[in-house]
Amino acid sequence: MARTATLTFNDRSIQLPVVEGSEGELGLDISKLRSETGLITLDPGYGNTGACTSAITFIDGEKGVLRYRGIPIEELARESTFVEVAWLLIFGRLPQQAELDDFRERLVRNAALHEAFRHHFEGFLVDAPPMAILSAMVNTIACFPRRGTEDESPEERFLEDASQLISKVRTIAACSYRRAMGLPFVYPDSKLPYVANFLHMMFSAPYAEHVASPEVVDALNLILLLHADHEQNCSTSTVRIVGSSQANIYASCAAAVGALWGPLHGGANMAVLEMLEKIHKGGISAADAIKMAKDSSSGFRLMGFGHRVYKNFDPRAKILKQAADKVLGQLGVKDPLLDVARQLEEMALKDSYFVDRRLYPNVDFYSGIIMRAIGIPTNMFTVIFAIGRMPGWIAQWKEQADDPKARIARPRQIYTGPTEKRYVPIDQR
Ligand code: SDX
């Protein structure tokens, strides 16, 4: 028996269908609302609005649950790798060995950039923001021919596009770092797996290959895996909106890079480190930071805290907090910012302002500590987030592209501007 909700307005009632998801989530289907009542809904920030149905990622914000294609993030963090999770998100199931081997081979084959990219990098000033470079270069990938044949199947074409994006986003990131450091670009090494190859391209000297320790490779694998998808967040919604016009996957993901850059979203991991450093250097005390965060007029927020969906804890933050301890211990790194982070968390979780608003550490609160310990510069933190999120963007773009009922995104508005008036010639104003 289909469930419905009754809406009564102006002495008229209509029945609106209620959609139920596989985890019991309920949504009011308002597709017919305007045609039957003339009403639209208004929900700034879409906090109460579902833009789509999706089978990729499930989050229960009350219980701190995160699953990729049904598999809990804790199990994937313990058992899987970023490349395998990328395949899982995109194709909806864990790969067979042959499928994973083929995917890895495509990532190796697609790692290098066309030599003409060199001129694009040289066109940027050395202090150009890496996220600006990344967004431009992701779009530019589509300007170059890729392996493929005219009669290739749509599935083959998509798999090559996905492999190009996942592989090249890492090469572009490394090149932007090398350019900023005034170092020569390092070509990908086809013998190295995904993460080790990235670290090689980032840190190898011209005649001394950088061999990352297993602990560092594991730590970065974990960070990328934990960032791989997160349902309809700001940047993923951007991919869907851009992709809904049938723009290609490169343009859609390049737009998502721009959305992720914002300090309220993926840019928070950099802002967390800047905040921790400011406290550590004595610019402000932890108590000052808490006080300012509670004062809405200060414009200051406790970066890395709060979340639109998680209202108890972000399971990724729990995993990263434990990993921070382990990685710094393995690397013999003593980072005073970790102590500052812990102090801040402890103070906030005892303060009614944060408890009442259900503000807890999110994925960005501890990730920067680990990235810093493995040698990633702060201004590359959000770029690392983008590398991790690329498979999620691709999976969500494909899910929408494969949906025969998908329509171009075109939200409505409630107009609050001036009512009709006449044009006044400039000499009469
Ligand atoms: C990510 O959506 C995703 O899934 C994102 C992400 C992903 O994987 O894609 O999880 C990644 O973006 C994590 C979030 C990273 N951003 C930050 O850490 C920046 C700091 N956090 C906030 O700006 C904020 O918490 C957001 C942006 C994360 C959520 O914003 P909301 O849901 O719009 O919440 P809100 O601004 O309406 O806040 C509700 C109340 C307000 O106070 P009141 O008006 O009720 O008095 O809580 C306050 C806010 O002022 N508040 C904070 C705060 N976050 C919310 N106060 C101080 N410090 C904070 N961090």
Side-chain angles (χ1 to χ4, degrees):
M1 161 75 169
R3 294 163 73 171
T4 61
T6 304
L7 176 75
T8 300
F9 178 68
N10 278 352
D11 301 328
R12 185 161 170 252
S13 293
I14 64 165
Q15 299 302 311
L16 292 169
V18 174
V19 175
E20 181 166 1
S22 49
E23 288 286 345
E25 293 169 297
L26 298 176
L28 203 52
D29 179 342
I30 57 169
S31 314
K32 298 267 185 294
L33 178 67
R34 190 167 173 275
S35 59
E36 294 196 9
T37 69
L39 292 169
I40 65 166
T41 57
L42 185 60
D43 184 19
Y46 306 113
N48 304 287
T49 297
C52 61
T53 57
S54 178
I56 298 170
T57 292
F58 173 67
I59 299 175
D60 182 328
E62 296 303 322
K63 297 180 186 143
V65 170
L66 170 58
R67 300 188 200 126
Y68 291 162
R69 297 289 188 176
I71 303 175
I73 193 67
E74 293 81 4
E75 286 182 43
L76 291 167
R78 206 174 39 249
E79 311 290 341
S80 189
T81 64
F82 171 63
V83 168
E84 183 179 63
V85 159
W87 206 97
L88 166 70
L89 287 167
I90 293 169
F91 295 103
R93 60 176 171 81
L94 290 168
Q96 296 300 330
Q97 189 61 54
E99 291 166 325
L100 189 56
D101 293 346
D102 169 69
F103 190 46
R104 283 191 172 126
E105 193 277 325
R106 289 172 190 266
L107 294 177
V108 166
R109 179 163 33 81
N110 281 297
L113 297 172
H114 190 290
E115 274 302 307
F117 266 87
R118 190 178 292 280
H119 306 303
H120 291 276
F121 280 105
E122 283 156 7
F124 286 101
L125 296 177
V126 288
D127 61 351
M131 286 297 274
I133 297 173
L134 189 66
S135 183
M137 295 297 196
V138 165
N139 233 331
T140 306
I141 299 172
C143 303
F144 290 87
R146 63 162 179 76
R147 188 177 102 139
T149 56
E150 282 307 313
D151 61 351
E152 69 184 358
S153 68
E155 293 73 22
E156 173 61 22
R157 177 183 178 78
F158 167 77
L159 187 47
E160 271 300 291
D161 285 337
S163 305
Q164 279 227 98
L165 277 162
I166 293 170
S167 192
K168 285 180 166 59
V169 69
R170 169 194 49 167
T171 312
I172 292 166
C175 289
S176 70
Y177 169 73
R178 301 289 290 193
R179 165 104 177 108
M181 300 299 285
L183 294 169
F185 294 153
V186 173
Y187 287 94
D189 179 341
S190 58
K191 298 184 299 304
L192 294 174
Y194 189 89
V195 169
N197 210 352
F198 171 65
L199 294 165
H200 156 65
M201 290 189 276
M202 283 279 286
F203 300 126
S204 282
Y207 302 104
E209 177 156 352
H210 173 85
V211 180
S213 70
E215 292 79 12
V216 169
V217 171
D218 289 349
L220 191 49
N221 231 316
L222 176 65
I223 284 183
L224 296 178
L225 183 156
L226 292 175
H227 285 79
D229 191 55
H230 213 238
E231 55 133 288
Q232 305 312 314
N233 58 84
C234 179
S235 54
T236 300
S237 298
T238 301
V239 168
R240 281 184 172 262
I241 286 185
V242 173
S244 74
S245 73
Q246 296 184 358
N248 68 60
I249 194 167
Y250 300 91
S252 303
C253 291
V257 173
L260 187 73
W261 192 358
L264 294 187
H265 189 15
N269 52 24
M270 287 170 56
V272 168
L273 250 291
E274 285 150 14
M275 175 182 73
L276 296 177
E277 278 178 330
K278 200 169 175 186
I279 293 170
H280 175 59
K281 287 177 184 156
I284 56 170
S285 70
D288 291 341
I290 294 285
K291 190 164 172 246
M292 285 195 298
K294 291 161 62 176
D295 170 9
S296 57
S297 64
S298 72
F300 177 87
R301 289 203 152 185
L302 202 59
M303 301 312 277
F305 252 74
H307 199 277
R308 175 63 59 80
V309 178
Y310 290 122
K311 295 307 174 189
N312 272 309
F313 59 89
D314 180 337
R316 302 167 298 177
K318 282 181 85 171
I319 294 169
L320 286 166
K321 182 177 179 181
Q322 289 160 4
D325 252 340
K326 181 181 159 208
V327 171
L328 271 66
Q330 286 169 335
L331 300 177
V333 169
K334 280 296 289 166
D335 187 347
L337 299 191
L338 182 55
D339 303 329
V340 174
R342 285 227 176 77
Q343 185 192 9
L344 265 182
E345 180 183 4
E346 196 180 326
M347 291 172 77
L349 298 189
K350 286 180 186 155
D351 188 303
S352 61
Y353 173 91
F354 295 91
V355 175
D356 295 350
R357 290 168 179 77
R358 307 176 79 185
L359 304 176
Y360 297 86
N362 59 49
V363 67
D364 293 305
F365 194 63
Y366 286 102
S367 57
I369 298 277
I370 297 174
M371 287 193 267
R372 189 171 126 105
I374 61 179
I376 307 286
T378 304
N379 74 341
M380 291 284 290
F381 284 2
T382 311
V383 171
I384 299 295
F385 193 146
I387 295 172
R389 188 51 55 89
M390 188 57 79
W393 289 337
I394 291 166
Q396 300 271 353
W397 183 91
K398 181 174 190 301
E399 186 175 64
Q400 176 176 262
D402 289 349
D403 178 359
K405 296 202 298 302
R407 303 172 68 203
I408 186 168
R410 204 295 186 196
R412 295 276 176 163
Q413 64 167 23
I414 295 294
Y415 176 70
T416 56
T419 52
E420 186 175 357
K421 59 184 186 179
R422 301 276 65 81
Y423 176 79
V424 178
I426 194 161
D427 58 0
Q428 295 171 32
R429 286 173 200 162

